[in-house]
Amino acid sequence: MLPAAVIKAATGSGREVFVLGFEGATDPDLITGYDHAWVKLGAVGQTIKLLHQKSVEDVVLIGAIDRPSLGELKLDFRGVQLLAKLGLKASKGDDHLLSTVVREFEDEGFRVLGADEIIKPMLAPEGAITRTMPDEQARSDIEIGFRAAMRVGELDIGQAVVVQAGRVLGVEAVEGTDALLARVGTLKSDDKGGVLVKVKKPGQDRRADLPTVGDRTVAGAIDAGLEGIAVHAGHCLLVNRPAMIAMADQAGLFITGIGEPD
Amino acid sequence: MLPAAVIKAATGSGREVFVLGFEGATDPDLITGYDHAWVKLGAVGQTIKLLHQKSVEDVVLIGAIDRPSLGELKLDFRGVQLLAKLGLKASKGDDHLLSTVVREFEDEGFRVLGADEIIKPMLAPEGAITRTMPDEQARSDIEIGFRAAMRVGELDIGQAVVVQAGRVLGVEAVEGTDALLARVGTLKSDDKGGVLVKVKKPGQDRRADLPTVGDRTVAGAIDAGLEGIAVHAGHCLLVNRPAMIAMADQAGLFITGIGEPD
């Protein structure tokens, strides 16, 4: 599930991340921004050696890999051993393959975690996580913004909008949330208010990025003079949460998780 | 119909415009940007004197005015004369009132034009008005952009989007089309292409502004490295058309009017 989201959630929760890509299977764009290395699919010994060298403690297996034919696999010595454990008839199914690989990692002293164990604690809960709560005007703006963001998301355009007093000040497309926040500061009226609403696009590919809000988002919202941030509960990653909350509380900004309206 | 659109269409077609506002009836925001004066509703003699002073040739009556009671009307001498012509029983209906007022202006040597006579020649026709025509990729981007802009317009957010190779680069909200164009220049890929699509919002108030494209829009599209501009045929005002077309033709940019898709 969601390789990019797992990497982002892991780094966002303060973990040091080392990403191992499989040549010909992993999307280079996914990992080039992180400490990483490339290995061949059958190079089991090399893989384990690299993980030890990097003092890796927890391993998460993510992303689908098309099962190569035995002829394509470039097995190293350890790879041959593992294949023997799997049984030469590799037709026993993916679960058998996966559990054998997991046991192999565990035997080497690594803890194998599910992607959900990394992601779920990072997802926004419902309700405010800051001392400040949205007032009535803000709740109305959040509702308008949520609906607008979902409609814009359906068109696969972007994930975020900014609303003030019922008026959509800005819509995010490819420029990203930081650029959206940078421009709404000059577009909003001097009145109080203004809310950033960020949601997961309704049709979003499961392997695509989850919407993310972090301390940079909070700083941008404060600079823009907004009153708060509303994120899609259960679908939006909150990274560097303690820093976010401290910064928001100091500025009197609210951050709240919102469920789908009825 | 559409006071703002008429004023914009008139100036956009090269006319010098003088706007007369009626105290308590005309929205000040509508006219403050133009050469204008304020009169009381019953000050008929003063109104006509002002129009002569400004060497007005053509008069367009626009905007609904709630009929005041006779007691509220501050009639000047000419106003009393006009009221006599109307017949004291002002219950004969608005058409009678309007045609009497029109005749009064005509008797003074002004030509009275309908709002449509000003606006219609300014509306975008269907098809390309430039030498360059949209190619296949551009036509596909226009279709995507038209659909996206209409959806965004339904939410009363904005009128314009920019699309390149099927990807919506930017959505206009309150920042306006010029600001949208200014930012997509840095967001588009270096590949050829990119189209600005501008439409009338589906639910747009009849008195609200019509979407407008002019030479500044063309300059912005050229600076952003776009390939063309597609406007809602029959709904979008083209101002300074000769300058627009000359500028676009020199840069190899297309400008085309598009009807609603089937």
Side-chain angles (χ1 to χ4, degrees), chain A residues 147-158 200-203, chain B residues 151:
Chain A
R147 206 171 302 141
M150 292 299 270
R151 290 287 290 277
V152 168
E154 275 167 31
L155 297 166
D156 198 20
I157 292 176
K200 180 171 149 303
K201 297 176 196 168
Chain B
R151 290 285 292 276

PDB file of all heavy atoms in Angstrom, chain A residues 147-158 200-203, chain B residues 151:
ATOM      1  N   ARG A 147     -16.755  20.738   0.524  1.00  0.00           N
ATOM      2  CA  ARG A 147     -17.522  20.395  -0.679  1.00  0.00           C
ATOM      3  C   ARG A 147     -16.753  20.818  -1.939  1.00  0.00           C
ATOM      4  O   ARG A 147     -16.638  20.060  -2.899  1.00  0.00           O
ATOM      5  CB  ARG A 147     -18.895  21.075  -0.623  1.00  0.00           C
ATOM      6  CG  ARG A 147     -19.948  20.336  -1.415  1.00  0.00           C
ATOM      7  CD  ARG A 147     -21.340  20.914  -1.153  1.00  0.00           C
ATOM      8  NE  ARG A 147     -21.671  20.869   0.251  1.00  0.00           N
ATOM      9  CZ  ARG A 147     -22.325  21.840   0.910  1.00  0.00           C
ATOM     10  NH1 ARG A 147     -22.686  22.942   0.290  1.00  0.00           N
ATOM     11  NH2 ARG A 147     -22.598  21.705   2.191  1.00  0.00           N
ATOM     12  N   ALA A 148     -16.213  22.026  -1.922  1.00  0.00           N
ATOM     13  CA  ALA A 148     -15.473  22.529  -3.087  1.00  0.00           C
ATOM     14  C   ALA A 148     -14.233  21.669  -3.351  1.00  0.00           C
ATOM     15  O   ALA A 148     -13.957  21.286  -4.486  1.00  0.00           O
ATOM     16  CB  ALA A 148     -15.080  23.986  -2.875  1.00  0.00           C
ATOM     17  N   ALA A 149     -13.500  21.336  -2.293  1.00  0.00           N
ATOM     18  CA  ALA A 149     -12.269  20.560  -2.464  1.00  0.00           C
ATOM     19  C   ALA A 149     -12.578  19.164  -3.016  1.00  0.00           C
ATOM     20  O   ALA A 149     -11.836  18.642  -3.850  1.00  0.00           O
ATOM     21  CB  ALA A 149     -11.521  20.459  -1.135  1.00  0.00           C
ATOM     22  N   MET A 150     -13.680  18.560  -2.560  1.00  0.00           N
ATOM     23  CA  MET A 150     -14.032  17.238  -3.069  1.00  0.00           C
ATOM     24  C   MET A 150     -14.403  17.312  -4.548  1.00  0.00           C
ATOM     25  O   MET A 150     -14.035  16.440  -5.336  1.00  0.00           O
ATOM     26  CB  MET A 150     -15.196  16.645  -2.262  1.00  0.00           C
ATOM     27  CG  MET A 150     -14.839  16.299  -0.820  1.00  0.00           C
ATOM     28  SD  MET A 150     -13.525  15.060  -0.639  1.00  0.00           S
ATOM     29  CE  MET A 150     -14.508  13.552  -0.606  1.00  0.00           C
ATOM     30  N   ARG A 151     -15.120  18.363  -4.947  1.00  0.00           N
ATOM     31  CA  ARG A 151     -15.509  18.516  -6.348  1.00  0.00           C
ATOM     32  C   ARG A 151     -14.272  18.748  -7.215  1.00  0.00           C
ATOM     33  O   ARG A 151     -14.149  18.197  -8.309  1.00  0.00           O
ATOM     34  CB  ARG A 151     -16.479  19.696  -6.517  1.00  0.00           C
ATOM     35  CG  ARG A 151     -17.855  19.461  -5.938  1.00  0.00           C
ATOM     36  CD  ARG A 151     -18.663  18.487  -6.776  1.00  0.00           C
ATOM     37  NE  ARG A 151     -19.062  19.037  -8.047  1.00  0.00           N
ATOM     38  CZ  ARG A 151     -20.117  19.809  -8.246  1.00  0.00           C
ATOM     39  NH1 ARG A 151     -20.884  20.114  -7.245  1.00  0.00           N
ATOM     40  NH2 ARG A 151     -20.405  20.263  -9.443  1.00  0.00           N
ATOM     41  N   VAL A 152     -13.377  19.591  -6.729  1.00  0.00           N
ATOM     42  CA  VAL A 152     -12.144  19.871  -7.455  1.00  0.00           C
ATOM     43  C   VAL A 152     -11.286  18.600  -7.489  1.00  0.00           C
ATOM     44  O   VAL A 152     -10.642  18.292  -8.485  1.00  0.00           O
ATOM     45  CB  VAL A 152     -11.393  21.047  -6.792  1.00  0.00           C
ATOM     46  CG1 VAL A 152      -9.988  21.173  -7.337  1.00  0.00           C
ATOM     47  CG2 VAL A 152     -12.160  22.350  -6.993  1.00  0.00           C
ATOM     48  N   GLY A 153     -11.328  17.837  -6.398  1.00  0.00           N
ATOM     49  CA  GLY A 153     -10.584  16.586  -6.333  1.00  0.00           C
ATOM     50  C   GLY A 153     -11.122  15.532  -7.291  1.00  0.00           C
ATOM     51  O   GLY A 153     -10.355  14.779  -7.887  1.00  0.00           O
ATOM     52  N   GLU A 154     -12.436  15.517  -7.450  1.00  0.00           N
ATOM     53  CA  GLU A 154     -13.048  14.573  -8.400  1.00  0.00           C
ATOM     54  C   GLU A 154     -12.479  14.768  -9.795  1.00  0.00           C
ATOM     55  O   GLU A 154     -12.387  13.833 -10.579  1.00  0.00           O
ATOM     56  CB  GLU A 154     -14.569  14.804  -8.487  1.00  0.00           C
ATOM     57  CG  GLU A 154     -15.378  14.089  -7.430  1.00  0.00           C
ATOM     58  CD  GLU A 154     -16.812  14.613  -7.390  1.00  0.00           C
ATOM     59  OE1 GLU A 154     -17.328  15.036  -8.446  1.00  0.00           O
ATOM     60  OE2 GLU A 154     -17.398  14.610  -6.287  1.00  0.00           O
ATOM     61  N   LEU A 155     -12.145  16.006 -10.116  1.00  0.00           N
ATOM     62  CA  LEU A 155     -11.580  16.317 -11.433  1.00  0.00           C
ATOM     63  C   LEU A 155     -10.071  16.076 -11.449  1.00  0.00           C
ATOM     64  O   LEU A 155      -9.406  16.380 -12.417  1.00  0.00           O
ATOM     65  CB  LEU A 155     -11.876  17.770 -11.794  1.00  0.00           C
ATOM     66  CG  LEU A 155     -13.355  18.129 -11.937  1.00  0.00           C
ATOM     67  CD1 LEU A 155     -13.545  19.637 -11.949  1.00  0.00           C
ATOM     68  CD2 LEU A 155     -13.915  17.526 -13.220  1.00  0.00           C
ATOM     69  N   ASP A 156      -9.533  15.547 -10.331  1.00  0.00           N
ATOM     70  CA  ASP A 156      -8.119  15.232 -10.224  1.00  0.00           C
ATOM     71  C   ASP A 156      -7.245  16.479 -10.400  1.00  0.00           C
ATOM     72  O   ASP A 156      -6.175  16.419 -10.995  1.00  0.00           O
ATOM     73  CB  ASP A 156      -7.739  14.158 -11.262  1.00  0.00           C
ATOM     74  CG  ASP A 156      -6.422  13.487 -10.898  1.00  0.00           C
ATOM     75  OD1 ASP A 156      -6.031  13.568  -9.716  1.00  0.00           O
ATOM     76  OD2 ASP A 156      -5.779  12.914 -11.789  1.00  0.00           O
ATOM     77  N   ILE A 157      -7.742  17.606  -9.890  1.00  0.00           N
ATOM     78  CA  ILE A 157      -7.013  18.867 -10.054  1.00  0.00           C
ATOM     79  C   ILE A 157      -6.107  19.126  -8.857  1.00  0.00           C
ATOM     80  O   ILE A 157      -4.932  19.438  -9.013  1.00  0.00           O
ATOM     81  CB  ILE A 157      -8.006  20.044 -10.234  1.00  0.00           C
ATOM     82  CG1 ILE A 157      -8.724  19.914 -11.577  1.00  0.00           C
ATOM     83  CG2 ILE A 157      -7.280  21.377 -10.131  1.00  0.00           C
ATOM     84  CD1 ILE A 157      -9.795  20.954 -11.814  1.00  0.00           C
ATOM     85  N   GLY A 158      -6.644  19.024  -7.659  1.00  0.00           N
ATOM     86  CA  GLY A 158      -5.843  19.305  -6.467  1.00  0.00           C
ATOM     87  C   GLY A 158      -6.563  18.853  -5.217  1.00  0.00           C
ATOM     88  O   GLY A 158      -7.625  18.239  -5.290  1.00  0.00           O
ATOM     89  N   LYS A 200      -8.509  14.269   0.716  1.00  0.00           N
ATOM     90  CA  LYS A 200      -8.052  13.258  -0.228  1.00  0.00           C
ATOM     91  C   LYS A 200      -9.005  13.291  -1.415  1.00  0.00           C
ATOM     92  O   LYS A 200     -10.225  13.306  -1.250  1.00  0.00           O
ATOM     93  CB  LYS A 200      -8.095  11.890   0.446  1.00  0.00           C
ATOM     94  CG  LYS A 200      -7.642  10.735  -0.420  1.00  0.00           C
ATOM     95  CD  LYS A 200      -7.519   9.492   0.440  1.00  0.00           C
ATOM     96  CE  LYS A 200      -7.812   8.205  -0.306  1.00  0.00           C
ATOM     97  NZ  LYS A 200      -9.085   8.069  -0.953  1.00  0.00           N
ATOM     98  N   LYS A 201      -8.432  13.336  -2.639  1.00  0.00           N
ATOM     99  CA  LYS A 201      -9.274  13.310  -3.828  1.00  0.00           C
ATOM    100  C   LYS A 201     -10.137  12.049  -3.814  1.00  0.00           C
ATOM    101  O   LYS A 201      -9.618  10.961  -3.550  1.00  0.00           O
ATOM    102  CB  LYS A 201      -8.409  13.280  -5.086  1.00  0.00           C
ATOM    103  CG  LYS A 201      -7.526  14.488  -5.295  1.00  0.00           C
ATOM    104  CD  LYS A 201      -6.658  14.249  -6.532  1.00  0.00           C
ATOM    105  CE  LYS A 201      -5.495  15.219  -6.591  1.00  0.00           C
ATOM    106  NZ  LYS A 201      -4.499  14.833  -7.610  1.00  0.00           N
ATOM    107  N   PRO A 202     -11.425  12.173  -4.158  1.00  0.00           N
ATOM    108  CA  PRO A 202     -12.313  11.007  -4.100  1.00  0.00           C
ATOM    109  C   PRO A 202     -11.788   9.802  -4.880  1.00  0.00           C
ATOM    110  O   PRO A 202     -11.843   8.688  -4.407  1.00  0.00           O
ATOM    111  CB  PRO A 202     -13.620  11.534  -4.705  1.00  0.00           C
ATOM    112  CG  PRO A 202     -13.601  12.992  -4.442  1.00  0.00           C
ATOM    113  CD  PRO A 202     -12.152  13.401  -4.514  1.00  0.00           C
ATOM    114  N   GLY A 203     -11.256   9.999  -6.070  1.00  0.00           N
ATOM    115  CA  GLY A 203     -10.844   8.858  -6.881  1.00  0.00           C
ATOM    116  C   GLY A 203      -9.359   8.563  -6.794  1.00  0.00           C
ATOM    117  O   GLY A 203      -8.816   7.883  -7.648  1.00  0.00           O
TER     118      GLY A 203
ATOM    119  N   ARG B 151     -17.279  23.040 -14.071  1.00  0.00           N
ATOM    120  CA  ARG B 151     -17.494  22.458 -12.732  1.00  0.00           C
ATOM    121  C   ARG B 151     -17.053  23.430 -11.642  1.00  0.00           C
ATOM    122  O   ARG B 151     -17.726  23.606 -10.625  1.00  0.00           O
ATOM    123  CB  ARG B 151     -16.708  21.147 -12.593  1.00  0.00           C
ATOM    124  CG  ARG B 151     -17.257  20.011 -13.431  1.00  0.00           C
ATOM    125  CD  ARG B 151     -18.531  19.434 -12.852  1.00  0.00           C
ATOM    126  NE  ARG B 151     -18.327  18.739 -11.615  1.00  0.00           N
ATOM    127  CZ  ARG B 151     -17.934  17.473 -11.519  1.00  0.00           C
ATOM    128  NH1 ARG B 151     -17.712  16.766 -12.604  1.00  0.00           N
ATOM    129  NH2 ARG B 151     -17.770  16.901 -10.345  1.00  0.00           N
TER     130      ARG B 151
END
